[in-house]
Amino acid sequence: MKPVLRVQDLAKAYRPGGPAVAGVSFAVAPGEIFALLGPSGSGKTTTLRLIAGFERPDRGEVWIAGRQASGGGRFLPPEERGVGYVFQDHALFPHLTVLENVMFGLHRRPPRRRRARALEVLDLVGLTVFKDRRPDELSGGQQQRVALARAIAPGPPLVLLDEAFSSLDAGLREVTRAEVRALLKATGTSAVLVTHDQEEALSFADRLGVMRAGRLVQVGTPEEVYHLPATPFVARFLGHTNLVPARAHGDWAETPLGRVPLARPAEGAVRLSIRPEHLELLPPQAAEGVPGRVRSRAFKGHDLTLEVEAAGRRYRVQADYRSRFFPGDPVRVRVREPAVAVGRNAEAEPPGVKRERAAD
Ligand code: ADP
Ligand code: MG
């Protein structure tokens, strides 16, 4: 099927020498929800603004529903791109009612149809009873649903959402997110969500792209990107992990925690990503694992995190809420899932070799 959005080698610098977006390519299929995930300043909003037509690219192309919107000497203004947007701050008109706000996006239709369509979309987002209220008489989550209703009312094939849930508090954010996702799926609308929140990207998107310094460093399903990170940066950005030096021999590796199977074949001196939930603590008399000692324990309610020292390194271990290990306890540490080689092992490389910086 033809993609609803295709972005090809898109680049934009606001000032010479410091590109905000430095060659980004991806495509979004009909009905697909795609997330751009990355730290603040990595170029997510600029990418979205280039897609929307709020910015002109220095280089590259944007294709929306088979039509070239930017590139090759063309530049369609935002209002001709047929795309809906939802921003972090809702940007609702404070002096208009909910119904009028949604009707605003339908200015190209005859007045009678505008009202009927706006009521239909408000029904879809469950806000019919609030149609005569003004935005300041609604909760943050309700305002966000109005903003979404306004964006989807004209029936665009693609909606762009920039940190659309970030201003909501935790509980409301999760509920609103699930509702918005269900609505996009029910209407077959494609979406690109920009977020710096890894949990949001993992739970909202069908596929996601991880951005760093203006580039996409990895694109895949949430499971692929979480379980098979391409670089140490991706491994860390998607959640906690232990980066461990190892020597790889194809589908297994020698590590300070013993022999470990690899999820992806590798050779030589590598760094492995081992997720905290992939480590297991056993009693000191167990036959498996390597000996270690618990250094700290943080209770989280549904689970808990332990820091364990073993073979001269510290490891973060996620344990069941029933775990009976406490600081000072001797344990054995076992790797219970295949690990992932995420790059060369800088510790084992000669000086002068360029290496990926672990933190940003
Ligand atoms: P993100 O949305 O991932 O936080 P942005 O796309 O907003 O990142 O910003 C990427 C880079 O471009 C940052 O270094 C930011 O400071 C810079 N930038 C963003 N917008 C502008 C602008 N209007 N003028 C100048 N620099 C900008
Ligand atoms: Mg941004």
Side-chain angles (χ1 to χ4, degrees):
M1 241 192 308
K2 268 194 128 164
V4 163
L5 171 69
R6 194 163 66 80
V7 164
Q8 189 63 41
D9 194 30
L10 209 54
K12 173 80 184 174
Y14 293 103
R15 49 185 169 273
V21 174
V24 163
S25 305
F26 65 93
V28 178
E32 185 178 39
I33 300 179
F34 189 87
L36 285 173
L37 171 70
S40 168
S42 58
K44 308 181 297 293
T45 293
T46 302
T47 303
L48 215 62
R49 291 178 60 81
L50 288 164
I51 295 167
F54 298 138
E55 303 285 351
R56 278 174 189 268
D58 298 338
R59 189 181 83 218
E61 297 175 3
V62 176
W63 293 75
I64 297 166
R67 230 172 21 137
Q68 186 162 16
S70 292
R74 281 174 71 91
F75 187 78
L76 288 183
E79 63 275 14
E80 285 175 32
R81 295 192 175 206
V83 167
Y85 337 98
V86 183
F87 302 105
Q88 180 170 1
D89 57 4
H90 325 305
L92 297 175
F93 300 108
H95 58 288
L96 298 183
T97 65
V98 164
L99 182 64
E100 289 163 346
N101 262 284
V102 177
M103 284 171 64
F104 185 85
L106 298 166
H107 57 275
R108 292 192 178 184
R109 301 192 184 197
R112 266 218 337 272
R113 294 234 209 101
R114 286 169 63 192
R115 190 182 159 83
R117 172 65 179 161
L119 285 169
E120 185 181 286
V121 177
L122 280 176
D123 184 43
L124 213 57
V125 296
L127 290 176
T128 307
V129 293
F130 300 115
K131 70 181 181 359
D132 298 320
R133 292 212 193 165
R134 296 194 195 282
D136 65 359
E137 298 169 314
L138 299 177
S139 73
Q142 290 163 342
Q143 288 181 35
Q144 201 54 294
R145 273 147 65 198
V146 176
L148 183 79
R150 189 176 61 181
I152 65 169
L158 175 68
V159 174
L160 307 175
L161 305 119
D162 192 349
E163 305 278 3
F165 311 108
S166 303
S167 63
L168 308 174
D169 53 36
L172 188 59
R173 197 185 311 152
E174 211 172 309
V175 174
T176 308
R177 214 155 61 194
E179 286 173 357
V180 168
R181 187 183 152 82
L183 196 66
L184 290 170
K185 288 294 176 191
T187 52
T189 311
S190 300
V192 178
L193 170 75
V194 153
T195 179
H196 64 277
D197 178 334
Q198 47 95 3
E199 190 189 309
E200 183 158 299
L202 290 173
S203 60
F204 190 76
D206 300 318
R207 275 188 317 135
L208 60 92
V210 182
M211 284 195 79
R212 182 189 197 191
R215 295 179 190 279
L216 270 179
V217 286
Q218 189 172 3
V219 175
T221 64
E223 281 83 0
E224 282 164 0
V225 176
Y226 185 82
H227 290 299
L228 292 172
T231 69
F233 171 79
V234 174
R236 285 195 170 170
F237 199 73
L238 269 279
H240 291 285
T241 200
N242 298 287
L243 293 175
V244 181
R247 180 152 289 275
H249 305 274
D251 58 5
W252 64 278
E254 204 108 48
T255 84
L257 298 177
R259 283 190 176 198
V260 171
L262 295 180
R264 183 168 64 199
E267 291 292 342
V270 293
R271 263 208 288 181
L272 300 184
S273 166
I274 302 179
R275 296 279 182 205
E277 66 269 28
H278 293 169
L279 289 176
E280 183 180 21
L281 299 187
L282 304 167
Q285 65 275 15
E288 293 176 280
V290 300
R293 194 170 290 275
V294 178
R295 290 297 169 196
S296 68
R297 169 185 164 111
F299 180 62
K300 307 268 177 68
H302 57 293
D303 61 7
L304 53 90
T305 303
L306 298 135
E307 202 185 21
V308 175
E309 193 169 307
R313 300 185 86 85
R314 292 209 171 196
Y315 296 90
R316 185 186 174 102
V317 180
Q318 190 176 317
D320 194 78
Y321 65 94
R322 289 165 298 192
S323 170
R324 290 276 167 265
F325 297 113
F326 288 89
D329 286 352
V331 290
R332 288 182 83 90
V333 187
R334 190 177 84 90
V335 183
R336 62 174 167 190
E337 295 288 340
V340 189
V342 288
R344 308 305 300 170
N345 174 24
E347 289 172 39
E349 278 172 15
V353 173
K354 196 168 170 282
R355 53 169 127 138
E356 167 117 5
R357 288 230 313 279
D360 235 5

